[in-house]
Amino acid sequence: MTEEEYKKLRKELESDYLALFKKTVAMHEIYLLRIAAHAKLREDSNFRVFLEYAKDLKVRSKNKKEIIGGFFKNMTKNVDEALLSGQKDKDEFFIEKRTFLEDYHNRIKETTKKSEFLSASTNGLSVDYMQVAGCLALLSTRDPSLQRFMAQSAITFESLQKLQKRTSTDEDLKLTDLFKYYQRETQAAKSLLYRRGRALADKEIAEGKLEQAQKKFKDIPTAEAYLEDCKIRFESISDMAKTELDTFKNRRLETYRKHLVDMSELQIRHSQSIISELTKGLELLKDL
């Protein structure tokens, strides 16, 4: 590897690292702002410690026991969700939200796939530009009569490759990562409705147990206390779910608007840069 090739490779790696770093910072920013905006979580002591901790944080991966435990927990939840799927809910608000979230989650998954394809296609074009630049640079060493023309063309395509790579990175950051984030957010909202459904099922079971206890004139105070506890838990999670789902809607609209505006501005800027680079390259080729 020549020194020039080494410098190019180093620049490419630095560019890739910077793109990855930008993605990480952006996702952390959204996550931390989400916690900071939450009425309860922003007062959590662990959150304050995380924000004020000056040293490096040590993070370990899950051990086998935690992985297996998580697997069985998810499997149990999936079975429970299937059992609760036929549950009759009298609250129109939650019926509407459940229907919307099911449809929205499927649509956001499909949109994420299309966004990934768009970003990959843009990145593929940058790879093509680099290959063309390499071929032109090679031709400049083979044919002395076309050396300057081919060398200048190679430089132009290298510049286009960098701009196209930057465009791909911004598409990935502003679109794909945004859709992935809200795919997880929608799943979290569905999980919240599942927990409310579980609380509703527990309340209905408690009502049945109280009826049985009243018929048998046995353990009535215990059944009444259990029912009251289930009612409080159900009402509490229902109130929290209404607040969270309304907040989710408003936050989603604001975030989409911001990211789409940012993406549009970046696309205009990148397009102007590409046109400028092509114009510059053509002018230099005319002067040869």
Side-chain angles (χ1 to χ4, degrees):
M1 181 183 291
T2 63
E3 183 178 353
E4 186 178 352
E5 290 174 338
Y6 172 75
K7 288 181 179 179
K8 284 184 180 180
L9 180 60
R10 183 176 178 178
K11 285 183 179 180
E12 288 178 18
L13 291 174
E14 288 176 349
S15 177
D16 290 341
Y17 175 79
L18 180 61
L20 183 61
F21 180 74
K22 283 172 64 178
K23 285 182 62 175
T24 305
V25 170
M27 287 299 101
H28 275 79
E29 181 184 11
I30 293 174
Y31 178 70
L32 293 175
L33 288 173
R34 171 79 175 88
I35 297 177
H38 196 277
K40 293 183 179 179
L41 293 178
R42 65 185 175 193
E43 302 297 335
D44 188 87
S45 58
N46 292 323
F47 180 56
R48 291 180 177 273
V49 170
F50 174 80
L51 293 178
E52 297 172 1
Y53 195 71
K55 299 179 182 179
D56 292 336
L57 294 173
K58 294 182 179 180
V59 182
R60 69 170 180 84
S61 58
K62 291 183 179 181
N63 56 39
K64 292 182 179 179
K65 183 178 179 181
E66 290 171 332
I67 293 173
I68 294 173
F71 170 75
F72 283 109
K73 184 178 179 180
N74 288 332
M75 186 171 65
T76 303
K77 179 186 172 184
N78 291 336
V79 172
D80 203 23
E81 282 181 336
L83 294 174
L84 293 174
S85 61
Q87 186 182 56
K88 294 182 179 179
D89 197 333
K90 297 180 181 179
D91 195 316
E92 290 295 330
F93 175 83
F94 288 105
I95 294 173
E96 181 183 340
K97 290 297 181 182
R98 182 178 288 106
T99 304
F100 167 77
L101 287 173
E102 287 292 341
D103 181 58
Y104 181 77
H105 188 63
N106 292 331
R107 290 176 182 271
I108 201 72
K109 281 169 62 178
E110 188 64 29
T111 304
T112 303
K113 291 179 183 178
K114 291 180 179 178
S115 181
E116 287 176 337
F117 178 77
L118 171 65
S119 181
S121 299
T122 306
N123 185 60
L125 186 56
S126 74
V127 174
D128 292 341
Y129 281 155
M130 179 55 71
Q131 291 175 347
V132 171
C135 291
L136 291 172
L138 182 62
L139 286 172
S140 68
T141 62
R142 300 290 177 86
D143 191 343
S145 63
L146 295 174
Q147 181 179 3
R148 293 178 61 193
F149 182 87
M150 292 298 181
Q152 182 56 55
S153 299
I155 292 172
T156 299
F157 274 98
E158 284 180 7
S159 299
L160 290 174
Q161 185 272 334
K162 293 176 183 177
L163 292 171
Q164 200 67 30
K165 180 69 176 177
R166 206 170 299 156
T167 303
S168 173
T169 300
D170 287 335
E171 286 176 350
D172 199 29
L173 179 63
K174 293 295 182 181
L175 291 180
T176 307
D177 285 348
L178 174 67
F179 296 140
K180 286 181 179 179
Y181 175 78
Y182 273 102
Q183 189 175 329
R184 294 190 294 268
E185 279 278 280
T186 307
Q187 185 59 51
K190 289 174 64 180
S191 297
L192 177 59
L193 289 181
Y194 157 72
R195 294 196 299 274
R196 180 184 174 276
R198 181 69 268 167
L200 175 59
D202 291 341
K203 184 174 77 73
E204 291 172 347
I205 291 171
E207 290 171 347
K209 287 183 177 180
L210 178 59
E211 289 180 4
Q212 293 296 325
Q214 290 172 340
K215 288 179 181 179
K216 297 178 181 179
F217 296 100
K218 185 178 179 181
D219 297 330
I220 295 177
T222 302
E224 288 178 340
Y226 178 63
L227 176 58
E228 186 63 25
D229 182 60
C230 288
K231 283 182 177 179
I232 292 172
R233 191 163 63 249
F234 172 69
E235 290 171 1
S236 175
I237 195 170
S238 294
D239 292 339
M240 182 188 69
K242 283 185 178 180
T243 303
E244 288 291 332
L245 290 171
D246 285 336
T247 305
F248 170 70
K249 176 184 177 181
N250 296 330
R251 187 176 62 250
R252 186 179 74 250
L253 293 175
E254 290 176 4
T255 305
Y256 273 126
R257 186 180 295 110
K258 180 181 182 301
H259 277 250
L260 291 175
V261 169
D262 289 346
M263 186 65 228
S264 299
E265 291 175 349
L266 286 169
Q267 284 180 325
I268 293 171
R269 195 181 308 161
H270 290 319
S271 297
Q272 290 174 340
S273 298
I274 290 172
I275 292 172
S276 176
E277 192 62 39
L278 284 170
T279 304
K280 177 184 173 182
L282 289 172
E283 290 297 328
L284 289 172
L285 288 175
K286 287 179 182 179
D287 295 337
L288 293 179

